Amino acid sequence: MIVTVDVKPGQREESVENISEEHLLVKVRAPASKGKANKAVIKLLKKHFGCQVFLVSGHTSSRKIFEVEE
C-alpha cells in the first residue's frame, strides 16, 4: 500500500492522524535535520501499521510517500 504523509517535525507530542484512507498527518518530536525526523516517522508508522514501512520519496520534503508492506 502507498501512503502519503505530511510531516510536522519538532512537535511536543508524537501522533498519527488520518486525513483520508491513504493520507496521514504525522507529528514527531525530532527536528528536521540530518534525517532525524524521517527516522522518527518510520518508527511511528511501523508501530501504527504493525509492519515494515519504506520511505519512497520526499526525503527532504514535508510531504513524503511511504510504502507499507501488508
Side-chain angles (χ1 to χ4, degrees):
M1 171 172 61
I2 300 295
V3 179
T4 302
V5 176
D6 289 332
V7 178
K8 299 257 181 178
Q11 301 295 304
R12 287 181 183 229
E13 294 184 20
E14 294 188 336
S15 66
V16 177
E17 301 173 18
N18 289 329
I19 295 174
S20 69
E21 189 174 312
E22 295 177 353
H23 192 178
L24 303 173
L25 173 64
V26 177
K27 297 177 182 178
V28 293
R29 289 188 189 113
S33 64
K34 299 183 182 177
K36 291 179 184 178
N38 288 343
K39 289 177 185 176
V41 170
I42 290 170
K43 183 177 177 182
L44 206 57
L45 289 177
K46 281 183 181 181
K47 185 177 177 182
H48 179 76
F49 288 110
C51 57
Q52 281 293 90
V53 178
F54 301 99
L55 180 57
V56 176
S57 69
H59 295 274
T60 59
S61 172
S62 63
R63 179 163 285 180
K64 303 177 185 303
I65 307 285
F66 286 91
E67 181 179 349
V68 180
E69 288 189 350
E70 297 183 50

